[in-house]
Structure formats: C-alpha cells, structure tokens
Coordinates of all heavy atoms in Angstrom, one line a residue:
H1 N 168.2 92.1 98.0 CA 167.0 92.1 98.8 C 166.1 93.2 98.2 O 166.5 94.4 98.2 CB 167.3 92.5 100.3 CG 168.3 91.5 100.9 ND1 167.8 90.4 101.5 CD2 169.6 91.5 101.0 CE1 168.9 89.7 102.0 NE2 170.0 90.4 101.7
F2 N 165.0 92.7 97.6 CA 164.1 93.6 96.8 C 163.3 94.5 97.8 O 163.0 94.0 98.9 CB 163.3 92.9 95.9 CG 164.0 92.1 94.8 CD1 163.9 90.7 94.7 CD2 164.8 92.8 93.9 CE1 164.6 90.0 93.7 CE2 165.5 92.1 92.9 CZ 165.4 90.7 92.9
A3 N 162.8 95.6 97.3 CA 161.9 96.5 98.0 C 160.6 95.8 98.5 O 160.0 96.1 99.5 CB 161.7 97.7 97.3
D4 N 160.2 94.8 97.7 CA 158.9 94.1 98.0 C 159.1 92.9 98.9 O 158.2 92.1 99.1 CB 158.2 93.7 96.7 CG 158.9 92.7 95.8 OD1 160.0 92.3 96.3 OD2 158.5 92.4 94.7
G5 N 160.3 92.7 99.4 CA 160.5 91.6 100.4 C 161.1 90.4 99.7 O 161.5 89.4 100.5
R6 N 161.1 90.2 98.4 CA 161.7 89.1 97.8 C 163.2 89.1 97.8 O 163.8 90.2 98.1 CB 161.2 89.0 96.3 CG 159.7 88.8 96.2 CD 159.3 88.8 94.7 NE 159.8 89.9 94.0 CZ 160.5 89.9 92.9 NH1 160.9 88.7 92.4 NH2 160.9 91.0 92.3
R7 N 163.9 88.0 97.4 CA 165.3 88.0 97.3 C 165.7 87.4 96.0 O 165.0 86.6 95.4 CB 165.9 87.1 98.4 CG 165.7 87.6 99.8 CD 166.3 86.8 100.9 NE 166.6 85.5 100.7 CZ 167.7 84.8 101.2 NH1 168.5 85.5 102.1 NH2 167.9 83.6 101.0
G8 N 166.8 87.9 95.5 CA 167.3 87.4 94.1 C 168.8 87.3 94.1 O 169.5 87.9 94.9
I9 N 169.3 86.6 93.1 CA 170.7 86.4 92.9 C 171.1 87.0 91.5 O 170.3 86.9 90.6 CB 171.0 84.9 92.8 CG1 170.6 84.2 94.1 CG2 172.5 84.6 92.5 CD1 171.3 84.7 95.3
R10 N 172.3 87.6 91.5 CA 172.8 88.0 90.2 C 174.2 87.5 90.2 O 175.1 87.7 91.0 CB 172.9 89.5 90.1 CG 171.5 90.2 90.1 CD 170.7 89.8 88.9 NE 169.4 90.4 88.9 CZ 168.3 90.0 89.4 NH1 168.3 88.9 90.1 NH2 167.2 90.7 89.3
E11 N 174.5 86.7 89.1 CA 175.9 86.2 88.8 C 176.4 86.9 87.6 O 175.7 87.0 86.6 CB 175.8 84.7 88.5 CG 175.4 83.8 89.7 CD 176.4 83.7 90.8 OE1 177.5 84.4 90.7 OE2 176.2 83.0 91.7
L12 N 177.6 87.5 87.7 CA 178.2 88.2 86.6 C 179.1 87.2 85.8 O 179.8 86.5 86.4 CB 179.1 89.4 87.2 CG 178.4 90.4 88.1 CD1 179.4 91.4 88.5 CD2 177.2 91.0 87.4
V13 N 178.9 87.3 84.5 CA 179.6 86.4 83.6 C 180.1 87.2 82.4 O 179.3 87.9 81.8 CB 178.8 85.2 83.1 CG1 179.5 84.4 82.1 CG2 178.3 84.4 84.3
R14 N 181.4 87.1 82.1 CA 182.0 87.8 81.0 C 181.4 87.1 79.7 O 181.3 85.9 79.6 CB 183.5 87.7 80.9 CG 184.1 88.6 81.9 CD 185.6 88.4 81.9 NE 186.2 88.3 80.6 CZ 187.1 89.1 80.1 NH1 187.5 90.1 80.8 NH2 187.6 88.9 78.9
E15 N 181.1 87.9 78.7 CA 180.5 87.4 77.5 C 181.4 86.4 76.8 O 180.9 85.4 76.3 CB 180.2 88.5 76.5 CG 179.0 89.4 76.9 CD 178.8 90.5 75.9 OE1 179.7 90.9 75.1 OE2 177.7 91.0 75.9
D16 N 182.7 86.6 76.8 CA 183.6 85.7 76.2 C 183.8 84.4 76.9 O 184.4 83.5 76.4 CB 184.9 86.3 75.9 CG 185.7 86.8 77.2 OD1 185.1 86.8 78.2 OD2 186.9 87.1 77.1
S17 N 183.3 84.2 78.1 CA 183.5 83.0 78.8 C 182.2 82.2 79.0 O 182.1 81.1 79.5 CB 184.0 83.2 80.3 OG 183.0 83.8 81.0
L18 N 181.1 82.7 78.3 CA 179.8 82.1 78.4 C 179.7 80.7 77.8 O 179.0 79.8 78.2 CB 178.7 83.0 77.8 CG 177.3 82.7 78.2 CD1 177.1 82.6 79.7 CD2 176.4 83.7 77.5
Q19 N 180.5 80.4 76.8 CA 180.5 79.1 76.1 C 181.4 78.1 76.7 O 181.5 76.9 76.3 CB 180.9 79.3 74.6 CG 180.0 80.2 73.8 CD 178.6 79.6 73.7 OE1 178.4 78.4 73.6 NE2 177.6 80.5 73.8
K20 N 182.2 78.5 77.8 CA 183.1 77.6 78.4 C 182.4 76.6 79.4 O 181.4 77.0 80.1 CB 184.1 78.3 79.2 CG 185.1 79.2 78.4 CD 186.1 79.9 79.2 CE 187.0 80.8 78.4 NZ 187.9 81.5 79.3
A21 N 182.8 75.4 79.3 CA 182.2 74.3 80.2 C 182.3 74.7 81.7 O 181.4 74.5 82.5 CB 182.8 73.0 79.9
S22 N 183.5 75.3 82.0 CA 183.7 75.7 83.4 C 182.7 76.7 83.9 O 182.3 76.7 85.0 CB 185.2 76.1 83.6 OG 185.4 77.3 82.9
T23 N 182.4 77.6 83.0 CA 181.4 78.7 83.4 C 180.0 78.1 83.6 O 179.3 78.4 84.6 CB 181.4 79.8 82.3 OG1 182.6 80.4 82.1 CG2 180.3 80.8 82.6
A24 N 179.6 77.2 82.7 CA 178.3 76.5 82.8 C 178.3 75.7 84.1 O 177.3 75.7 84.8 CB 178.1 75.6 81.6
E25 N 179.4 75.0 84.5 CA 179.4 74.3 85.7 C 179.3 75.2 87.0 O 178.6 74.9 87.9 CB 180.7 73.4 85.8 CG 180.7 72.3 84.9 CD 182.0 71.5 84.8 OE1 183.1 72.2 84.9 OE2 182.0 70.3 84.8
R26 N 180.0 76.3 86.9 CA 179.9 77.2 88.1 C 178.5 77.8 88.2 O 178.0 77.9 89.3 CB 180.9 78.4 87.9 CG 182.4 77.9 88.2 CD 183.3 79.1 88.4 NE 183.1 80.2 87.5 CZ 183.8 80.4 86.4 NH1 184.7 79.6 86.0 NH2 183.5 81.5 85.7
L27 N 177.9 78.1 87.1 CA 176.5 78.7 87.2 C 175.6 77.6 87.6 O 174.6 77.8 88.4 CB 176.1 79.2 85.8 CG 176.8 80.4 85.4 CD1 176.4 80.8 83.9 CD2 176.4 81.6 86.3
E28 N 175.8 76.3 87.2 CA 174.9 75.2 87.7 C 175.1 75.0 89.2 O 174.2 74.8 90.0 CB 175.2 74.0 86.9 CG 174.4 72.7 87.4 CD 172.9 72.9 87.3 OE1 172.4 73.8 86.7 OE2 172.2 72.0 87.9
F29 N 176.4 75.1 89.7 CA 176.7 75.0 91.1 C 175.9 76.0 91.9 O 175.3 75.7 92.9 CB 178.2 75.3 91.2 CG 178.8 74.9 92.6 CD1 179.3 73.6 92.7 CD2 178.8 75.8 93.6 CE1 179.9 73.3 94.0 CE2 179.4 75.5 94.8 CZ 179.9 74.2 95.0
S30 N 175.9 77.3 91.4 CA 175.2 78.4 92.1 C 173.7 78.1 92.0 O 173.0 78.3 93.0 CB 175.5 79.7 91.4 OG 174.8 80.7 91.9
R31 N 173.2 77.7 90.8 CA 171.7 77.5 90.7 C 171.2 76.4 91.7 O 170.2 76.6 92.3 CB 171.4 77.1 89.3 CG 169.9 77.0 89.0 CD 169.6 76.1 87.8 NE 169.9 74.7 87.9 CZ 169.2 73.8 88.6 NH1 168.1 74.2 89.2 NH2 169.6 72.6 88.7
R32 N 172.0 75.3 91.8 CA 171.6 74.3 92.7 C 171.5 74.7 94.1 O 170.6 74.4 94.9 CB 172.5 73.1 92.6 CG 172.3 72.3 91.3 CD 173.3 71.1 91.3 NE 173.3 70.5 89.9 CZ 173.9 69.4 89.6 NH1 174.6 68.8 90.6 NH2 173.9 69.0 88.4
Y33 N 172.5 75.5 94.5 CA 172.5 76.0 95.9 C 171.3 76.8 96.2 O 170.6 76.7 97.1 CB 173.8 76.8 96.2 CG 173.8 77.3 97.6 CD1 174.2 76.5 98.6 CD2 173.5 78.6 97.9 CE1 174.2 77.0 99.9 CE2 173.5 79.1 99.2 CZ 173.8 78.3 100.2 OH 173.8 78.7 101.5

C-alpha cells in the first residue's frame, strides 16, 4: 500500500529459478490474478 494511495505487488524469485518453467507459470498465475 503506497503512500500515494496506489497498490502494488512484489513477488520474490531466486535468480537460479528464473529460467524454470514452473517459476514462469507461478508468476503468470499471480499476474493474471
């Protein structure tokens, strides 16, 4: 919850898992929601 009233999401991803298909699917799952 930003000071200016906006809202944002932060997803933490380990650098070594960024190339994995499962990581991409989880991030897409989150993005769609």
